[in-house]
Amino acid sequence: MASTASAYLTGFGRYLPGDPVDNDGIVSRLGGDDAVTARIRRRVLDANGIRQRYYALDEQGEPTELNEELAVKALTAALDDRGIAAGDLRMLATATTMGDVLVPGFASMVHGRLGGGPMQLLSASGVCASSLAALDAAVSKIKLGDHPRAAVVGSELSSRSLRQRRYDGIRAGMDSHFLRWMLSDGAGAVVVEFQPHPTRLSLRVDWVRHVSLAHEYDVCMRAGIKGPEPVVGSTWQDVPVDDAAAAGMFLLRQDVSMLDDLAGAGLAQFEELVDIGLVDISHLDHVICHYSTNAFRDLAFDGLRKRVPTLDTDRWFSNLETCGNTGAASIFIALEEAFRSGRFSPGETILLAVPESGRFSFAFAHLTVVAPPQQGASS
């Protein structure tokens, strides 16, 4: 018999460092004002639709905070929103592309800075979809009854690796510069509990699905290797650090020629969820999707309209244009803003969607808006 245990999102928080940086202010933080780089920057910015983003860098491009500090500030906001303390948590699941240190894991560093009592930790690694992988783990432990309360945080501080000093001596090209003008910093967090919030709306987690297509696709987003695939003896761990830097191994690279395939594969995964009955389009009230550029949104709309000619794009929520692409943090930053906006009502459903270009993986979560118990929780 299937378990009837539930898990609910009851607290929401985010942290975006510093003041918003518009497109004209990027160079003062990241550098890259030569003619070739400027041409690539304009091309990328014209396509992605991002109008402002946030960096944990000062006006001279020097770091102001650690990634673990961003995570703790988002977690603290979520805990305050729920009205609890770190000591009330029994599990912490974190997601990030790159922490501040190689060892120990990101969750250990965040826990050490956050404080609280003994708790289970999970450091989910990967890229964007690691956020929902961390959520899946926390929700599963809540539903099993192992813990009454957990917190999940996605946090990214990519700007440190996007500054000009990393690009000096490296030929400017779209593969090495694409992500430089796409990514920014921030953190988002949620509290997960076995019961709804006592006095306001909660979001019940109905299911989480995460699938990798790495067996079908080559590497699309990478760092730490020279070419598209790792070779024994020639990764960043095998060569002197200076040689690795000179070879551009520490740059985040994107094979932009594969991105149309990413959009198509993501649509196919969504259609599979519809076909097997996990998503009922006629009763899907909100879609919160992480994507790196408005071009992907337009491709998604075109594909969905083939399946649903009457698709209402007002159901779609994104804050890419105002908060930027914050990788693993993006979906929680968007969810927090959507929740605060008052757009959710009891009984409505929400689909979270996160495509990851690393080696093509896709994560989805289905939520139902639930009224507080004294008002009669909606099922």
Side-chain angles (χ1 to χ4, degrees):
M1 180 178 295
S3 172
T4 58
S6 297
Y8 302 85
L9 306 186
T10 60
F12 305 85
R14 72 175 185 179
Y15 177 70
L16 296 167
D19 295 323
V21 177
D22 63 17
N23 290 348
D24 293 332
I26 296 178
V27 172
S28 67
R29 301 300 202 281
L30 302 184
D33 57 358
D34 63 280
V36 175
T37 301
R39 185 166 60 250
I40 295 173
R41 182 176 66 252
R42 287 193 297 269
R43 180 180 171 187
V44 173
L45 292 174
D46 287 345
N48 66 28
I50 300 172
R51 294 185 286 106
Q52 67 177 35
R53 75 284 294 147
Y54 296 79
Y55 297 123
L57 302 173
D58 62 22
E59 292 184 357
Q60 287 71 48
E62 295 302 319
T64 57
E65 297 176 85
L66 294 168
N67 195 3
E68 66 184 62
E69 291 181 289
L70 306 188
V72 167
K73 288 177 179 178
L75 283 165
T76 300
L79 293 170
D80 289 346
D81 180 55
R82 176 59 184 90
I84 60 175
D88 296 311
L89 299 176
R90 293 297 176 266
M91 181 178 180
L92 171 64
T94 66
T96 192
T97 303
M98 292 182 288
D100 303 296
V101 298
L102 295 177
V103 177
F106 190 61
S108 293
M109 300 305 293
V110 173
H111 182 206
R113 185 173 292 272
L114 177 69
M119 63 181 74
Q120 179 180 350
L121 298 179
L122 173 73
S123 299
S125 63
V127 198
C128 306
S130 61
S131 55
L132 293 191
L135 178 66
D136 191 20
V139 165
S140 296
K141 298 300 283 186
I142 297 295
K143 287 188 173 184
L144 281 172
D146 287 358
H147 304 302
R149 189 178 287 122
V152 183
V153 62
S155 184
E156 300 282 19
L157 207 169
S158 58
S159 63
R160 292 175 298 194
S161 63
L162 305 177
R163 294 175 292 169
Q164 183 60 38
R165 66 193 68 178
R166 288 286 182 91
Y167 292 81
D168 287 340
I170 306 297
R171 182 186 68 84
M174 188 60 74
D175 72 324
S176 59
H177 279 259
F178 180 74
L179 291 170
R180 186 180 187 187
W181 313 116
M182 299 286 281
L183 302 177
S184 54
D185 307 334
V190 294
V191 174
V192 189
E193 297 188 76
F194 74 99
Q195 60 188 0
H197 193 289
T199 61
R200 72 171 194 201
L201 297 180
S202 302
L203 305 181
R204 188 183 69 222
V205 183
D206 302 315
W207 51 258
V208 182
R209 295 290 185 274
H210 193 173
V211 60
S212 165
L213 300 183
H215 64 302
E216 297 179 5
Y217 292 93
D218 295 330
V219 174
C220 179
M221 178 181 174
R222 68 189 191 276
I225 52 179
K226 289 183 178 179
E229 295 284 346
V231 176
V232 173
S234 63
T235 72
W236 70 275
Q237 297 193 74
D238 301 310
V239 301
V241 172
D242 289 345
D243 292 347
M249 287 188 178
F250 296 121
L251 300 182
L252 279 170
R253 297 178 180 271
Q254 181 90 68
D255 184 345
V256 296
S257 68
M258 298 178 66
L259 294 180
D260 285 347
D261 290 337
L262 179 71
L267 280 171
Q269 290 300 312
F270 172 78
E271 289 185 347
E272 182 175 316
L273 295 176
V274 175
D275 290 339
I276 64 178
L278 281 177
V279 173
D280 181 352
I281 293 179
S282 64
H283 293 92
L284 182 59
D285 300 294
H286 307 277
V287 177
I288 302 178
C289 183
H290 161 69
Y291 50 88
S292 58
T293 169
N294 280 342
F296 289 163
R297 176 201 61 194
D298 297 339
L299 285 171
F301 285 167
D302 290 343
L304 289 172
R305 284 195 182 97
K306 294 177 182 177
R307 184 72 180 255
V308 191
T310 59
L311 176 71
D312 179 6
T313 55
D314 288 341
R315 304 186 207 177
W316 192 283
F317 180 86
S318 169
N319 54 12
L320 173 71
E321 294 184 359
T322 56
C323 294
N325 177 1
T326 52
S330 291
I331 197 66
F332 295 139
I333 289 174
L335 180 61
E336 189 271 351
E337 184 173 325
F339 187 86
R340 298 265 176 260
S341 72
R343 63 193 288 128
F344 300 149
S345 298
E348 292 183 338
T349 59
I350 306 162
L351 182 70
L352 307 182
V354 182
E356 176 179 301
S357 65
R359 195 160 182 172
F360 282 26
S361 61
F362 305 89
F364 301 88
H366 192 276
L367 315 174
T368 298
V369 185
V370 173
Q374 60 264 41
Q375 294 181 21
S378 178
S379 59

